[in-house]
Amino acid sequence: MKVLIVNSAYSSFNKGGSQQFSRILVNYLKNKNIEVVVLTTGRTYREYYLDGVKIYQIKEKNLYWWRDRSGQSMIAKCLWYMLDQYNFLMKRQLIQVFQSERPDIIHTNIVIGISVAVWHVARSLKIPVLHTLHDYYLMCQKSTMFKTKECDGQCMLCGVYSKAKRKASNKISYLVGISNYIFNNFFNAYILSFTIPYNSNFFCRIVENFFR
């Protein structure tokens, strides 16, 4: 069985919760003799191996790489966010990787810079997707649901900004969250095609049993 893990950032430095989560999961699956491939983003395209795992670093096709947003003009940021709602320019790279690797299941995490186009591509190739919620990227422009204080719900701007993401959520086969809190907040704002309460070992059980 082969699992393709998608995360906008992935490195050996384990910076950020989603990176640590993905690294732990990669190691767990390797120990279960499950083949793992990782897809992440960067300023340029390259393929390399990290700890014996093949990494596809695809080039973000936007005004700038999402990690370079500091110092960008307000106009550039607005245009970047508009395209990132559904970045069709990323689809060709995604199709190439998915067709080359032919994974049995795709596990998406943070998809900023890749956008929800990844779900559409997976569905078009009939590959099931499990998505893990780490933050509020799918329902908040800042991914934090916080301004001067924690937001009570989606503001009008974020509602417009997340419209394409909400529509794309029906491409997900399974949805989990890193906590019940974030999962429930997401569920309250979204119409989902399939929902499962979070369990720390749940994803691993899905992967192991998915094609039995």
Side-chain angles (χ1 to χ4, degrees):
M1 184 175 187
K2 180 185 289 188
V3 179
L4 194 152
I5 295 177
V6 177
N7 200 16
S8 297
Y10 189 86
S11 72
S12 59
F13 299 106
N14 288 331
K15 293 181 179 178
S18 69
Q19 289 189 66
Q20 293 184 43
F21 178 92
S22 295
R23 293 274 293 179
I24 291 170
L25 183 57
V26 165
N27 290 331
Y28 176 89
L29 296 177
K30 283 173 59 181
N31 291 334
K32 293 290 184 178
N33 295 317
I34 296 173
E35 186 176 358
V36 188
V37 180
V38 174
L39 184 145
T40 188
T41 66
R43 299 184 185 92
T44 59
Y45 180 93
R46 70 186 183 114
E47 299 175 19
Y48 62 98
Y49 284 84
L50 181 64
D51 299 330
V53 176
K54 188 171 186 179
I55 312 294
Y56 286 91
Q57 176 186 287
I58 61 175
K59 180 179 180 180
E60 183 178 337
K61 301 282 188 176
N62 207 322
L63 274 69
Y64 52 86
W65 184 34
W66 65 275
R67 280 191 156 178
D68 292 335
R69 58 191 164 193
S70 178
Q72 301 289 339
S73 69
M74 183 62 69
I75 293 176
K77 288 181 178 179
C78 288
L79 293 173
W80 186 93
Y81 279 117
M82 288 176 63
L83 182 56
D84 191 59
Q85 293 180 59
Y86 182 89
N87 193 339
F88 65 95
L89 298 176
M90 300 296 291
K91 294 179 73 173
R92 177 177 293 183
Q93 294 180 92
L94 293 169
I95 291 171
Q96 289 175 344
V97 173
F98 294 173
Q99 288 184 334
S100 174
E101 291 297 330
R102 297 185 180 277
D104 295 299
I105 186 169
I106 293 172
H107 176 218
T108 57
N109 295 273
I110 301 294
V111 295
I112 185 172
I114 300 170
S115 85
V116 296
V118 64
W119 299 339
H120 284 260
V121 171
R123 174 62 69 87
S124 70
L125 297 175
K126 299 181 180 180
I127 306 171
V129 173
L130 182 146
H131 181 71
T132 297
L133 298 165
H134 294 269
D135 61 13
Y136 295 107
Y137 165 78
L138 298 176
M139 58 188 295
C140 174
Q141 183 176 354
K142 293 182 178 180
S143 302
T144 59
M145 291 292 289
F146 188 90
K147 292 180 181 178
T148 55
K149 62 178 182 178
E150 186 176 358
C151 299
D152 295 328
Q154 270 190 324
C155 64
M156 184 179 297
L157 175 62
C158 288
V160 173
Y161 169 72
S162 63
K163 189 174 182 180
K165 300 174 183 179
R166 182 193 301 244
K167 186 176 180 180
S169 68
N170 65 4
K171 308 299 181 185
I172 302 170
S173 304
Y174 301 94
L175 180 76
V176 296
I178 57 171
S179 69
N180 284 327
Y181 180 79
I182 193 171
F183 181 87
N184 290 333
N185 282 350
F186 184 91
F187 179 78
N188 290 336
Y190 274 72
I191 300 173
L192 300 172
S193 59
F194 197 89
T195 57
I196 307 172
Y198 176 77
N199 181 288
S200 60
N201 295 316
F202 185 76
F203 172 69
C204 298
R205 292 206 305 273
I206 286 179
V207 171
E208 292 175 13
N209 298 322
F210 198 84
F211 287 95
R212 284 184 179 178

